[in-house]
Amino acid sequence: MSDIFGLSALSGVIRRDLRLAMRRKADALTPLFFFVIVVSLFPLGIGPERDTLRQIAPGVLWVAALLAGMLSLNRLFEQDYADGTLEQLVLSPAPLGMLVIGKVIAHWLLSGLPLVLLAPLLALQFDLPTSSLSVLAISLAIGTPVLSLIGAIGASLTLGLRGGGVLVALLVLPLYVPVLIFGAGSVDAVAAGLGAVSHLSLLAAVLVLAGFFAPWATTVALRIALE
């Protein structure tokens, strides 16, 4: 019964956050527009040299996705903290960890999934082959949830602090480095004629670790912030 109640609370949080995001469409679309603009600027600035564009494409796309995902981290708990909803969530009978997972899933659906779907289209500007495009999409599908999970830890640790956006960046950027290395490295490996399985496997291992530890760390940080 408790498992069913926890799942219903999880789906309720996801639906609520998605509905609120639809009411503030500008906030939801800002990371997507940022991603499109940043990725599109590089081919314009570098020029039509195909070899150079193919070489920089994995790093550019992954760094742009990483930065775009960070733009919405402040809003992960800030609105609920300001209006008292977060305190009600902590006091609710549902496990707080389950509620945190629901908010992370909603954050990924709004800021991560659109990047996964849009990245292969934007990568055409860099003249990437079809095999690299598919690996790029797979790596982002595995890696962007890790960014949301780690970002939730940073957002909870800086909750209620002045200048929290800068502090979040300082906290999470070093933790994003392995995701960036494995994600961009998988596309580079395919371009070099090597298999991407090892990079994707390591990226999946990071996802498993983040999925296990991040909700627990976030709940602890939220309880401390509300004390």
Side-chain angles (χ1 to χ4, degrees):
M1 183 66 67
S2 60
D3 292 340
I4 297 176
F5 180 73
L7 292 176
S8 63
L10 172 70
S11 62
V13 169
I14 295 174
R15 291 195 302 269
R16 172 186 174 273
D17 282 8
L18 293 179
R19 285 198 300 268
L20 290 176
M22 292 302 102
R23 296 176 185 175
R24 300 190 295 264
K25 294 182 180 179
D27 292 343
L29 292 176
T30 296
L32 187 60
F33 287 145
F34 176 85
F35 180 67
V36 173
I37 292 171
V38 170
V39 172
S40 300
L41 285 177
F42 278 87
L44 295 175
I46 293 175
E49 298 180 4
R50 291 187 176 183
D51 292 339
T52 303
L53 291 176
R54 289 177 179 176
Q55 186 175 2
I56 68 170
V60 168
L61 288 160
W62 257 99
V63 170
L66 185 152
L67 296 177
M70 285 185 57
L71 292 178
S72 57
L73 286 180
N74 278 346
R75 296 188 295 272
L76 191 57
F77 301 112
E78 184 178 7
Q79 296 292 335
D80 292 340
Y81 179 76
D83 61 16
T85 302
L86 185 60
E87 186 174 354
Q88 297 300 319
L89 292 176
V90 173
L91 296 175
S92 70
L96 182 57
M98 191 69 72
L99 301 178
V100 167
I101 293 174
K103 295 188 72 65
V104 171
I105 292 175
H107 178 268
W108 179 78
L109 291 174
L110 292 168
S111 64
L113 182 58
L115 303 184
V116 175
L117 299 176
L118 192 58
L121 296 177
L122 294 177
L124 294 175
Q125 302 176 91
F126 297 85
D127 197 35
L128 284 181
T130 304
S131 58
S132 296
L133 295 178
S134 59
V135 172
L136 172 66
I138 294 171
S139 66
L140 285 171
I142 300 173
T144 48
V146 181
L147 302 182
S148 295
L149 287 165
I150 296 176
I153 300 175
S156 60
L157 288 173
T158 59
L159 191 62
L161 299 179
R162 183 176 299 177
V166 178
L167 293 176
V168 169
L170 293 176
L171 286 173
V172 303
L173 278 177
L175 300 176
Y176 281 173
V177 171
V179 183
L180 176 63
I181 292 174
F182 298 143
S186 63
V187 185
D188 284 331
V190 172
L194 305 174
V197 176
S198 59
H199 291 84
L200 295 177
S201 298
L202 290 171
L203 197 58
V206 175
L207 174 59
V208 172
L209 289 175
F212 183 79
F213 288 107
W216 171 79
T218 303
T219 56
V220 172
L222 289 177
R223 294 185 187 278
I224 294 174
L226 291 174
E227 288 181 354

